[in-house]
């Protein structure tokens, strides 16, 4: 008989029909006469309760129905009074597809997140991680749908790059050379001419530069793919391998950009509220009691536009008023997350889009303002998370861009193709990067970025 998914079955239960479900045993309890088995098949956070009359089933078979075992169950779908769900199944036939002995690490509820990272191959079978990974899927769909409906093209930037000046972080090298026997030049440096690409290559830290090429041809594009940064920052907000969404738009100015950033995040959060209600309700109950309120708040609240200079003034006022920060505040400083969180959570009580940063603390490609001091960079700052989006209007003027490159001594010899966009039909354009896992941290209420990606890569850890 055809298998029914538990999500479909609970959505509109056809009481009185015979159904077959397949899934894994979450718990089993009962008496000498009857067993209640909570079965989950991953299609929803909700289990279906299986009622097994022990008089009808073989004792040997019942012994194999343990936590974690995989079952196929045929039975009558009936209204339930005690299971917490609308429906339950009165089993007529049970097959054990896969037994599971008592060495199974997920025997009981309430394991710590740290422990579950050590069994990352099994943690998707817990309620919490099932919820997180279903939400992860829905957020990816939200992102593609948002951009597709706005007429943006999904563009694929390469993961292997030969440019070393993207400037966003430390890079992982890609090589097929024999590391035990490296060919050297006379000056002792490594000779890459025999390497696979005939030159030094790395994994990309951002698809932006290629995205800019595409935007100046297709008008508006977005990338959505893995990104690699070998930054040794062991924080709950950084991964060595993470997914980034990078839209890039021709003919966008700063106002267009911040408007898109706000519209985009709100769309994604609203999508989660609409499509992941059961999983969010679970996380709100078990992981973070403020979650739903925070999500609804973000959807309803206008984001504050805050020039950096004004932000510094507010922070200085706060210090005068007696507020203590660990790190100093002065015009030109790179804001620490305590400063960002003060502005977002304490001062405005709303997401903040900070704009017009000092050029010294931002990347070379950001559009320079007429004041000669600031650039049109934007960071979207969120409660709990801090920076969730980094973006900017791009400097489209060839001479101004080159001047900045020379000032910063950026090695541009491999970047002629990027500069060509400014030589041939340059146009005003803007874009941003959203860390997918930062968005997921916000949407799920999880505390550590390692717990919103299936198999986290962090310093010292590439297991599974
Ligand atoms: P941060 O200051 O938080 O390290 P960044 O300024 O280096 O971030 P950008 O280069 O602007 O970040 O990258 C765009 C977005 O990518 C960030 O806003 C953030 O959401 C995400 N991001 C950056 N680095 C990481 C990382 N190591 N792990 C996960 N997400 C990241
Ligand atoms: Mn940074």
């Amino acid at each position: 008989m055809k298998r029914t998914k538990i999500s479909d079955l609970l959505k509109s239960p056809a009481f009185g029909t015979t159904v077959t479900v397949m899934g894994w045993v979450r718990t089993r309890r009962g008496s000498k006469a009857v067993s209640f088995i909570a079965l989950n098949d991953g299609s929803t956070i909700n289990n279906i309760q299986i009622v097994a009359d022990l008089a009808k089933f073989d004792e040997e078979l019942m012994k194999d129905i343990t936590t974690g075992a995989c079952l196929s169950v045929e039975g009558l779908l009936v209204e339930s009074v005690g299971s917490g769900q609308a429906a339950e199944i009165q089993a007529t036939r049970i097959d054990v597809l896969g037994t599971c002995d008592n060495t199974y690490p997920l025997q009981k509820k309430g394991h710590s997140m740290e422990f579950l990272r050590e069994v990352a191959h099994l943690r998707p079978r817990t309620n919490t991680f099932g919820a997180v990974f279903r939400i992860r899927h829905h957020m990816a769909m939200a992102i593609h749908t948002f951009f597709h409906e706005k007429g943006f093209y999904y563009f694929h930037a390469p993961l292997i790059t030969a440019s070393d000046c993207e400037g966003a972080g430390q890079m992982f090298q890609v090589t097929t050379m024999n590391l035990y026997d490296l060919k050297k030049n006379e000056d002792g440096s490594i000779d890459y001419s025999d390497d696979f690409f005939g030159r030094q290559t790395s994994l990309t830290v951002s698809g932006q530069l290629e995205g800019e090429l595409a935007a100046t041809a297709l008008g508006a594009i977005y990338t959505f793919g893995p990104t690699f940064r070998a930054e040794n920052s062991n924080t709950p907000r950084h991964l060595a391998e993470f997914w980034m969404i990078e839209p890039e738009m021709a003919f966008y100015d700063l106002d267009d950009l911040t408007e898109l950033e706000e519209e985009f995040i709100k769309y994604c959060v609203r999508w989660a509220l609409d499509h992941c209600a059961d999983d969010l309700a679970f996380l709100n109950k078990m992981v973070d009691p403020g979650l739903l309120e925070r999500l609804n708040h973000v959807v309803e609240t206008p984001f504050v536009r805050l020039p950096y200079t004004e932000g510094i003034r507010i922070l200085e006022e706060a210090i005068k008023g007696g507020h203590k920060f660990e790190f100093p505040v002065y015009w030109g400083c790179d804001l620490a997350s305590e400063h960002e969180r003060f502005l977002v959570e304490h001062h405005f009580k709303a997401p903040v889009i900070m704009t017009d940063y000092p050029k010294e603390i931002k990347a070379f490609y950001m559009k320079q303002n007429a004041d000669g001091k600031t650039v049109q960079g934007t960071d979207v700052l969120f409660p709990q998370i801090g920076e969730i989006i980094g973006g900017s209007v791009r400097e489209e003027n060839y001479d101004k861009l080159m001047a900045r490159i020379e000032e910063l001594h950026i090695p541009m010899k491999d970047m002629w193709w990027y500069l060509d966009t400014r030589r041939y039909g340059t146009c005003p354009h803007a874009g941003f990067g959203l860390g997918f896992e930062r968005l997921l941290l916000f949407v799920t209420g999880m505390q550590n970025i390692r717990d919103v990606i299936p198999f986290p890569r962090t310093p010292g850890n590439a297991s599974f």
Side-chain angles (χ1 to χ4, degrees):
M1 181 193 245
K2 222 171 129 69
R3 164 203 173 212
T4 308
K5 281 192 185 177
I6 293 172
S7 57
D8 293 336
L9 205 146
L10 291 175
K11 229 177 280 163
S12 48
F15 295 122
T17 61
T18 297
V19 295
T20 299
V21 293
M22 298 182 192
W24 295 268
V25 176
R26 281 293 163 79
T27 57
R28 177 180 166 187
R29 60 189 177 80
S31 64
K32 283 211 173 74
V34 60
S35 258
F36 300 102
I37 303 156
L39 201 70
N40 188 285
D41 69 0
S43 62
T44 157
I45 187 112
N46 298 310
N47 303 325
I48 186 92
Q49 173 159 285
I50 311 292
V51 185
D53 179 350
L54 295 182
K56 292 185 192 154
F57 292 98
D58 186 52
E59 208 174 306
E60 286 304 306
L61 173 89
M62 291 310 291
K63 265 192 208 147
D64 281 342
I65 301 179
T66 55
T67 298
C70 184
L71 310 183
S72 172
V73 178
E74 191 182 285
L76 191 67
L77 191 65
V78 297
E79 257 178 282
S80 176
V81 271
S83 76
Q85 297 298 338
E88 64 185 30
I89 294 172
Q90 286 173 350
T92 49
R93 178 188 173 135
I94 300 178
D95 294 296
V96 177
L97 303 180
T99 57
C100 185
D101 69 24
N102 61 12
T103 61
Y104 183 52
L106 306 176
Q107 288 294 341
K108 52 181 193 331
K109 290 179 184 170
H111 292 297
S112 72
M113 292 297 155
E114 289 76 12
F115 171 76
L116 290 172
R117 274 172 225 147
E118 290 168 21
V119 290
H121 59 309
L122 297 171
R123 69 178 181 169
R125 292 198 203 176
T126 64
N127 284 330
T128 299
F129 285 92
V132 167
F133 296 137
R134 276 187 296 272
I135 293 172
R136 191 179 163 105
H137 159 81
H138 282 290
M139 287 296 91
M141 299 308 289
I143 287 160
H144 285 300
T145 309
F146 176 81
F147 286 120
H148 177 70
E149 284 180 350
K150 281 189 104 60
F152 284 53
Y153 296 107
Y154 182 24
F155 187 77
H156 298 99
L159 298 190
I160 299 175
T161 175
S163 60
D164 54 2
C165 53
E166 287 169 358
Q170 286 296 311
M171 303 178 95
F172 289 101
Q173 211 173 315
V174 173
T175 181
T176 54
M177 290 192 298
N178 178 359
L179 297 182
Y180 296 101
D181 183 18
L182 288 172
K183 206 166 127 195
K184 299 273 176 75
N185 295 313
E186 268 171 25
D187 64 0
S189 63
I190 293 167
D191 177 1
Y192 285 99
S193 58
D194 285 348
D195 201 356
F196 190 89
F197 297 105
R199 61 203 294 187
Q200 190 175 357
T201 50
S202 308
L203 293 175
T204 185
V205 293
S206 159
Q208 179 198 321
L209 302 187
E210 290 88 354
E212 285 188 49
L213 305 183
T216 57
L218 301 172
I221 63 92
Y222 69 105
T223 68
F224 185 0
T227 309
F228 307 88
R229 294 189 186 178
E231 47 198 2
N232 211 350
S233 40
N234 242 318
T235 79
R237 308 264 174 273
H238 289 88
L239 291 163
E241 177 183 289
F242 63 102
W243 288 62
M244 187 139 68
I245 297 98
E246 296 184 278
E248 198 69 40
M249 300 74 63
F251 318 119
Y252 265 51
D253 65 14
L254 187 64
D255 286 339
D256 300 327
L257 175 67
T258 56
E259 205 176 293
L260 183 75
E261 290 172 341
E262 177 169 356
E263 189 189 346
F264 171 58
I265 299 209
K266 284 184 166 165
Y267 183 94
C268 292
V269 174
R270 201 175 294 118
W271 184 288
L273 289 165
D274 289 347
H275 292 79
C276 311
D278 287 353
D279 287 325
L280 288 177
F282 174 83
L283 293 171
N284 192 71
K285 191 164 133 218
M286 304 303 288
V287 174
D288 178 353
L291 177 63
L292 283 173
E293 196 190 316
R294 222 164 37 244
L295 297 183
N296 282 305
H297 178 72
V298 157
V299 167
E300 286 154 14
T301 311
F303 292 10
V304 174
R305 306 293 194 273
L306 181 70
Y308 170 92
T309 303
E310 176 65 11
I312 293 293
R313 199 192 58 74
I314 293 169
L315 292 168
E316 283 172 343
E317 286 289 311
I319 293 169
K320 270 191 218 141
H323 196 91
K324 296 252 181 304
F325 292 111
E326 190 185 338
F327 296 101
V329 173
Y330 54 93
W331 197 95
C333 76
D334 208 349
L335 293 183
S337 74
E338 57 170 345
H339 306 135
E340 297 175 344
R341 292 185 66 165
F342 176 86
L343 292 168
V344 173
E345 290 164 29
H346 192 83
H347 188 81
F348 290 108
K349 298 186 172 60
V352 170
I353 307 186
M354 193 173 263
T355 62
D356 301 289
Y357 285 83
K359 63 178 181 189
E360 283 75 22
I361 59 171
K362 287 291 177 189
F364 72 92
Y365 50 70
M366 294 193 183
K367 187 176 173 66
Q368 298 156 40
N369 279 322
D371 63 11
K373 293 194 299 196
T374 58
V375 290
Q376 294 184 9
T378 68
D379 277 4
V380 180
L381 308 176
F382 253 46
Q384 310 271 321
I385 312 294
E387 178 187 334
I388 190 163
I389 281 182
S392 75
V393 181
R394 317 307 189 188
E395 181 55 71
E396 86 270 19
N397 180 288
Y398 182 85
D399 295 329
K400 284 189 189 163
L401 185 63
M402 273 315 287
R404 197 73 192 117
I405 285 168
E406 276 157 22
E407 234 175 331
L408 293 171
H409 306 292
I410 295 173
M412 291 300 280
K413 64 173 177 8
D414 299 328
M415 296 282 293
W416 54 272
W417 49 270
Y418 179 69
L419 293 169
D420 268 3
T421 54
R422 273 64 170 178
R423 292 177 59 206
Y424 303 129
T426 191
C427 71
H429 63 288
F432 67 79
L434 166 85
F436 189 43
E437 287 77 16
R438 298 262 175 103
L439 174 67
L440 287 169
L441 276 178
F442 182 73
V443 170
T444 60
M446 299 297 282
Q447 294 299 307
N448 194 308
I449 200 161
R450 291 165 180 77
D451 300 329
V452 294
I453 190 165
F455 303 106
R457 269 76 182 105
T458 50
N461 175 36
S463 304
F464 307 105

